[in-house]
């Protein structure tokens, strides 16, 4: 009985959220905010995927920036070097990253805890080194230029507003698919694996298959976000996909609420917009960021959303008096 | 003891470094019975369950289920063949509700992978309803239907043990292995448990029981196997075993 | 230089860097053995060791040995502070929570360091000059000898500490049998505190001895810390001699790869080895497999 009923039905929440996204630009006074919203949307797509992996299934990845980067670079290179249309690039990126995540995922997800963290971290660093070193393809450390604008079946997304709606549709699609997965037999199996791998397996759940499956899905989400990113920026460079960005993604998921898709979106919005609004404090950004991570994990290990919610519920109980508890 | 063989082990052994937890153990489990495995602490009972259910691999010997060798198969494959278990140290999905725990138990009794789930194929919706209804049935069977929406981790200890059994039953096993189901229960709860295990047997599911509560074992088991230090030292019906000298020695020697 | 001289040169570099990895990995192990925590802030101890030495020399005008001593003590204190402020208050210490907390701590420490020392690199003078020593056609920096010598003393010192002293034995006892240790009156919380201090201490020493060869800077801790962790895993997490072997193996392979293949891929080689190790022998070179109990 955590949420009021209408928020508890995820599909009602989904409709409400989509409606909100659609009218949000009307409320904005400054085009710059549109740009921030686009980044929030892109990050939210990755965070949702990572939450399915980390929050629902309990498997950490400290290398998700790599899948985001691969999506961005694959589409970027195909666009800049081979003039492929964005849609073709998208297909290659999703399939390519999906296959890579599958191949990497099989040995990686046999690992647990620190070992899993370290393997995904190592994978992320290796991929980023390739972005830097494969100059002839990627433009090396200074980045890849000349990525074409987004055109889908002849329609050009040539303004921030149009791009915003493209990102919104993409986010809504990701969200809907994820809600469906979470609500299903698959989602139950994933949460069961989080609860106890051995109990899941004696009930017939093929644990490694589900872990690899959700790893692939979350990697594909990240690649999808990479595609949106690369055609929006029309420029990509390795430093956007480094270890710190992987950490930032994990932080989004953790701060929002592990195991809550809405929490992931909230976390993405918070961490993406915070530096924009606190730009005067730029010098302190990393320090504050580290402090947030520690404090949230110590005092609200279930994330801000749950933490606040628990506090509110506790408050309500106090106001109503103890009699209502029974 | 004329019912057909359901599961059996041959020369089953498992070492942990120097510790020989199971040594050349032959165990026959027959259909339609409640069979018990007893033995002092550290005798190898949990290890036996772990090896049979595929949670760990044996260092020697084999396990057969309905005549087919299942030694070393992945755990989920063994479960799909109709063999499941509970755990001595509870392994509930603590953050999920009681009903959801049982629904996970029905994993093999339903279908629908990533793709069908993500795109919510129409049959997925019908399937989901069926799984929910049948899981409720299982909760009714064990008498926990009133707690279906409770988060499993917040249940009292005794109910958690029962829930693990309901979850196992939902996977529609032919053989349900219970590892110390009465541990931590009071005498009233143990009585309920005894009646439940008998009803499970009557519903056609064979039971293999590991238990320290001798009263429970002796009152409901059709057949008892005693192991000590990984060896089988005696077997037979409860009466025979109770008066076996080796058994007395094993237990008294421990005390 | 002939090819064999070149290879000898790479080996010398590899062993030097490898010893540093081993030291850092040893810091990981000390905390891991007492708490099962992987302290992702270990690399920051290394950075702090170097930078605190620099400041002690510049501001307090201390000669290098005393500045180093101040830095080592300072970092050991920071280690205990980390334990008290960020680890002890954790109510549900599961691996993921702890990983994220120590990562948060590392980001925080790095942020504070950048506020104090800025983003420029600082030099520390070599301990005994920079006249290279000829060695079968290759050269050895005197500082390399310092690195190896100091590392060797630390390894032997720890061997002595954990094998012979009451405190050391108590630490091992409380790590492997916490309940039993508590029963015989060992204060396990205090032992964990000491492990953080010791871990800070080795990290700082590593940071000080390597600084003359590579400068020191607010952000050097990330990569070098992760490499130290690689060393620990390659050798066998928590294994005393494993980390020495792991560190030196890693240093040598990395240095050979960088020299003979391409220096840009140096870090990729290190992490590639890590992945291969994790996939095929996660218990490390010297570690034994540990079965999970059900
Ligand atoms: N994973 C493991 N690693 C090492 N030794 C183990 C492991 N599992 C069991 N053992 C050892 O094997 C022996 C048998 O243990 P097991 O848990 O099977 O006993 P049990 O009969 O279930 O005892 P209890 O009645 O206390 O549950 C014991 O000596 C135990 O210490
Ligand atoms: Mg047992």
């Amino acid at each position: 009985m955590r949420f009021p009923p209408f928020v508890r039905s995820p599909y009602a929440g989904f409709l409400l959220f989509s409606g909100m996204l659609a009218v949000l630009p009307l409320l904005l006074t400054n085009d710059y905010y549109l740009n921030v919203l686009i980044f929030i949307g892109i990050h939210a797509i990755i965070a949702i995927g990572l939450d399915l992996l980390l929050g629902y299934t309990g498997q950490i990845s400290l290398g998700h920036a790599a899948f985001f980067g691969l999506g961005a670079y694959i589409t970027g290179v195909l666009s800049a070097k081979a003039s492929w249309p964005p849609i073709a690039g998208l297909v290659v990126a999703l399939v390519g990253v999906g296959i890579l995540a599958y191949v990497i995922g099989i040995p990686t997800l046999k690992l647990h805890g620190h070992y899993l963290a370290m393997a995904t971290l190592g994978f992320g660093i290796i991929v980023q080194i390739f972005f830097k070193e494969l100059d002839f393809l990627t433009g090396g450390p200074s980045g890849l230029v000349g990525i074409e604008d987004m055109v889908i079946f002849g329609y050009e997304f040539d303004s921030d507003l149009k791009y915003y709606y493209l990102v919104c549709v993409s986010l809504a699609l990701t969200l809907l698919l994820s809600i469906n997965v979470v609500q299903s037999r698959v989602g139950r199996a994933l949460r069961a694996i989080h609860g106890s791998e051995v109990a899941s397996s004696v009930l017939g759940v093929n644990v490694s298959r589900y872990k690899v499956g959700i790893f692939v899905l979350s990697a594909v989400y990240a690649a999808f976000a990479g595609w949106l990113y690369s055609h929006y920026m029309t420029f990509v460079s390795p430093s956007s996909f480094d270890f710190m960005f992987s950490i930032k993604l994990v932080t989004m998921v953790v701060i929002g609420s592990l195991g809550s898709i809405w929490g992931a979106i909230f976390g993405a919005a918070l961490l993406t917009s915070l530096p924009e609004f606190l730009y005067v404090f730029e010098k302190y950004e990393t320090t504050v960021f580290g402090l947030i991570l520690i404090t949230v994990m110590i005092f609200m290990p279930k994330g801000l959303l749950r933490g606040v919610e628990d506090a509110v519920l506790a408050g309500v109980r106090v106001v109503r008096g103890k009699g209502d508890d029974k | 003891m004329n019912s057909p063989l359901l599961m059996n082990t041959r020369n089953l052994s498992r070492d942990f470094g120097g510790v020989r937890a199971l040594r050349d153990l032959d165990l026959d489990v027959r259909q339609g019975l409640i069979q018990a495995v007893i033995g002092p602490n550290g005798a190898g009972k949990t290890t036996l369950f772990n090896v049979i259910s595929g949670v760990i691999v044996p260092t020697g010997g084999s396990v057969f289920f309905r005549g087919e060798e299942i030694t070393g198969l992945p755990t989920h494959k063994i479960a799909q063949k109709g063999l499941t278990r509970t755990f001595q140290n509870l392994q509930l999905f603590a953050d999920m509700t009681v009903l959801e725990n049982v629904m996970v138990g029905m994993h093999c009794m339903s279908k629908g992978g990533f793709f069908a789930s993500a795109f919510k194929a129409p049959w997925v919706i019908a399937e989901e309803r069926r799984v929910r209804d049948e899981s409720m049935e299982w909760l009714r069977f064990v008498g926990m239907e009133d707690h279906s929406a409770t988060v499993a981790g917040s249940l009292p200890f005794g109910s958690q043990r029962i829930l693990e059994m309901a979850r196992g039953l939902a996977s529609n096993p032919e053989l349900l292995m219970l590892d110390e189901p009465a541990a931590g229960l009071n005498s009233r709860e143990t009585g309920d448990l005894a009646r439940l295990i008998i009803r499970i047997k009557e519903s056609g599911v064979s039971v293999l029981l590991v238990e320290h509560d001798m009263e429970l074992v002796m009152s409901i088991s059709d057949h008892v196997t005693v192991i000590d230090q990984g060896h089988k030292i005696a077997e037979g019906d409860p009466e025979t075993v109770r008066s076996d000298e080796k058994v007395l020695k094993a237990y008294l020697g421990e005390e | 230089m002939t090819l064999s001289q070149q290879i000898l040169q790479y080996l010398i570099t590899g062993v030097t860097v490898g010893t540093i990895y081993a030291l850092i990995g040893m810091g990981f192990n000390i905390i891991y053995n007492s708490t099962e925590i992987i302290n992702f802030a270990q690399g920051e101890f290394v950075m702090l060791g170097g930078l605190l030495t620099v400041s002690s020399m510049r501001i307090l005008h201390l000669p290098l040995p005393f500045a180093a001593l101040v830095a080592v003590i300072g970092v050991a204190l920071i280690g205990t502070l980390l334990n008290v402020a960020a680890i002890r208050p954790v109510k549900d210490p599961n691996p993921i929570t702890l990983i994220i907390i120590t990562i948060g701590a590392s980001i925080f420490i790095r942020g504070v360091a950048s506020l104090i020392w800025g983003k420029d690199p600082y030099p520390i003078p070599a301990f005994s000059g920079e006249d290279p020593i000829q060695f079968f056609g290759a050269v050895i920096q005197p500082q390399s000898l310092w690195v190896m010598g100091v590392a060797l003393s630390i390894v032997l010192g720890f061997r002595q500490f954990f094998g012979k002293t009451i405190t050391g034995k108590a630490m091992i006892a409380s790590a492997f049998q916490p309940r039993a240790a508590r029963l015989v009156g060992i204060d396990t919380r205090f032992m964990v505190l000491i492990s953080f201090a010791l871990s800070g201490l080795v990290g700082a020493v590593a940071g000080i001895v390597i600084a003359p060869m590579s400068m020191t800077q607010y952000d050097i801790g990330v990569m070098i810390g992760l490499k130290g962790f690689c060393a620990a895993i390659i050798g066998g997490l928590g294994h005393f001699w494993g980390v020495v072997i792991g560190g030196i193996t890693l240093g040598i392979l990395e240095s050979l790869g960088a020299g003979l293949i391409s220096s840009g891929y140096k870090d990729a080689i290190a992490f590639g080895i890590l992945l291969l190790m994790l996939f095929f022998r996660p218990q490390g070179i010297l570690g034994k497999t540990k079965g999970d109990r059900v």
Side-chain angles (χ1 to χ4, degrees), chain B residues 45-46 88 179-180 210:
Chain B
K45 305 177 296 291
T46 299
Q88 182 175 351
D179 197 349
E180 302 202 13
V210 159

Side-chain angles (χ1 to χ4, degrees), chain A residues 216-234:
Chain A
V216 170
L217 185 68
S218 73
V220 167
Y221 280 7
F224 182 46
W227 172 74
L228 287 167
Y229 177 83
S230 132
H231 286 289
Y232 180 61
M233 300 293 285
T234 64

Side-chain angles (χ1 to χ4, degrees), chain B residues 16 19 21 40-47 88 180 212, chain C residues 293:
Chain B
F16 292 107
V19 181
N41 288 108
K45 305 177 296 291
T46 299
T47 305
Q88 182 175 351
E180 302 202 13
H212 279 299
Chain C
R293 285 190 179 214

Side-chain angles (χ1 to χ4, degrees), chain A residues 54 58 62 107-108 111 114-115 117-119 121-122 125-126 129-130 133-134 243-244 247 250 254 283-284 286-287 289-291 293-294 297-298, chain C residues 36 38 40 85-86 89 91 96-97 99-101 103-105 107-108 111-112 115 226 229 233 237 264-265 267-268 271-272 274-275 278-279 282:
Chain A
L54 175 59
L62 296 180
T108 302
L111 304 167
H114 311 303
Y115 294 92
M118 209 53 200
L121 181 158
I125 290 180
I126 292 173
I129 291 171
F130 277 103
E133 296 298 320
L134 295 175
F243 174 52
M244 267 311 283
I247 300 297
V250 170
V254 168
K283 244 177 93 179
Y284 305 100
T286 46
T287 320
F289 181 47
L291 211 52
L293 263 183
I294 303 176
M297 284 322 278
I298 293 178
Chain C
E36 303 233 322
I38 289 300
F40 276 86
K91 280 175 228 102
I96 289 185
T97 310
I99 287 173
I100 295 170
I101 286 184
I103 286 177
I107 295 171
F108 175 72
V112 172
L115 293 175
L226 294 177
F229 189 19
I233 286 196
L237 200 53
Y265 288 103
D267 295 339
F271 286 99
L274 172 77
L275 286 190
L278 285 173
F279 294 166

Side-chain angles (χ1 to χ4, degrees), chain A residues 150-225:
Chain A
M150 182 69 85
V151 179
I152 298 175
F153 301 125
Y155 185 82
E156 214 173 312
F157 292 84
D158 49 9
S159 75
D160 271 4
L161 190 63
K162 288 182 190 167
Y163 216 93
Y164 168 79
Y165 282 111
L166 175 65
V167 171
C168 282
V169 171
S170 309
L171 174 60
L173 185 71
T174 314
L175 185 57
L176 189 60
L177 293 186
S178 308
I179 292 176
N180 284 347
V181 168
V182 169
Q183 298 272 307
S184 71
R185 167 179 182 266
V186 173
R188 249 186 336 261
L190 297 175
R191 288 162 61 208
I193 290 170
H194 192 175
S196 165
E197 286 193 17
V198 67
S200 313
S201 65
V202 302
L203 296 169
V205 176
N206 185 341
V207 171
S208 50
R209 191 185 137 222
Y210 277 95
K211 288 206 283 192
V212 173
I214 200 64
F215 187 68
V216 170
L217 185 68
S218 73
V220 167
Y221 280 7
F224 182 46

Side-chain angles (χ1 to χ4, degrees), chain B:
Chain B
M1 289 298 295
N2 294 327
S3 51
L5 203 57
L6 180 59
M7 191 271 300
N8 62 326
T9 70
R10 285 294 167 261
N11 299 322
L12 201 60
S13 305
R14 170 70 209 210
D15 302 344
F16 292 107
V19 181
R20 300 182 62 190
L22 291 177
R23 315 184 197 186
D24 295 327
L25 192 76
D26 290 349
L27 177 75
D28 289 349
V29 173
R30 295 183 180 276
Q31 215 154 3
L33 304 181
I34 297 174
Q35 276 184 235
V37 174
I38 60 171
N41 288 108
K45 305 177 296 291
T46 299
T47 305
L48 177 66
F49 272 21
N50 282 343
V51 172
I52 293 173
S53 59
V55 172
I56 59 177
V57 287
T59 33
S62 351
V63 183
F64 299 86
F65 189 62
R66 284 186 295 173
E68 177 194 357
E69 174 149 14
I70 56 167
T71 328
L73 280 187
T75 309
H76 67 271
K77 289 256 170 66
I78 294 177
Q80 285 160 10
K81 289 184 186 298
L83 195 161
T84 193
R85 64 175 283 192
T86 64
F87 297 88
Q88 182 175 351
N89 55 344
L90 289 161
Q91 296 281 333
L92 279 177
F93 310 127
D95 289 334
M96 299 169 74
T97 65
V98 167
L99 180 63
E100 282 171 332
N101 267 271
V102 181
M103 289 170 82
V104 175
M106 287 192 62
H107 188 84
C108 299
M109 300 285 94
S110 55
K111 50 190 184 352
F114 277 95
F115 203 74
S117 302
F119 292 97
K120 214 159 201 189
W123 56 264
V124 169
I125 301 172
E127 181 93 341
E128 189 70 8
R129 192 169 305 130
R130 179 179 68 83
V131 168
R132 184 172 295 268
D133 293 345
E134 286 183 29
S135 299
M136 269 318 276
E137 283 302 314
W138 282 116
L139 283 180
R140 249 172 239 126
F141 182 81
V142 301
M144 285 187 67
E145 67 275 21
D146 292 341
H147 301 287
S148 66
T150 312
V151 175
S154 66
L155 286 175
F157 193 72
S159 310
Q160 295 201 5
R161 288 231 176 266
I162 303 294
L163 177 57
E164 257 204 14
M165 292 170 62
R167 187 179 70 179
L169 286 170
S171 73
N172 194 25
E174 293 193 46
L175 177 61
L176 177 64
M177 307 200 292
L178 305 174
D179 197 349
E180 302 202 13
L185 302 196
N186 60 32
S187 59
R188 187 182 49 81
E189 288 172 326
T190 306
D192 292 345
L193 177 75
R195 282 184 288 281
L196 177 60
I197 296 177
I198 290 170
R199 275 169 53 225
I200 291 173
K201 165 176 132 173
E202 286 165 359
S203 77
V205 178
S206 316
V207 175
L208 184 62
L209 173 71
V210 159
E211 187 48 67
H212 279 299
D213 183 333
M214 282 311 135
E215 210 182 306
L216 175 69
V217 170
M218 296 306 171
S219 65
I220 64 173
S221 309
D222 300 298
H223 184 89
V224 179
T225 306
V226 190
I227 62 174
D228 184 26
Q229 298 181 10
H231 274 304
K232 180 161 73 182
I233 56 170
E235 65 180 323
D237 56 51
E239 282 313 310
T240 331
V241 166
R242 202 203 295 265
S243 51
D244 191 298
E245 254 175 55
K246 273 182 287 185
V247 178
L248 290 172
K249 229 164 86 192
Y251 273 91
L252 292 178
E254 191 213 7
E255 237 101 274

Side-chain angles (χ1 to χ4, degrees), chain C residues 51 54 58 117-124 214-220:
Chain C
L51 286 175
V54 171
R58 293 199 178 174
W117 286 285
K119 302 199 167 174
D120 300 321
Y122 292 87
I124 287 183
S214 65
M215 309 276 264
T216 184
Q217 204 173 343
Y218 82 104
D219 66 351
I220 58 150

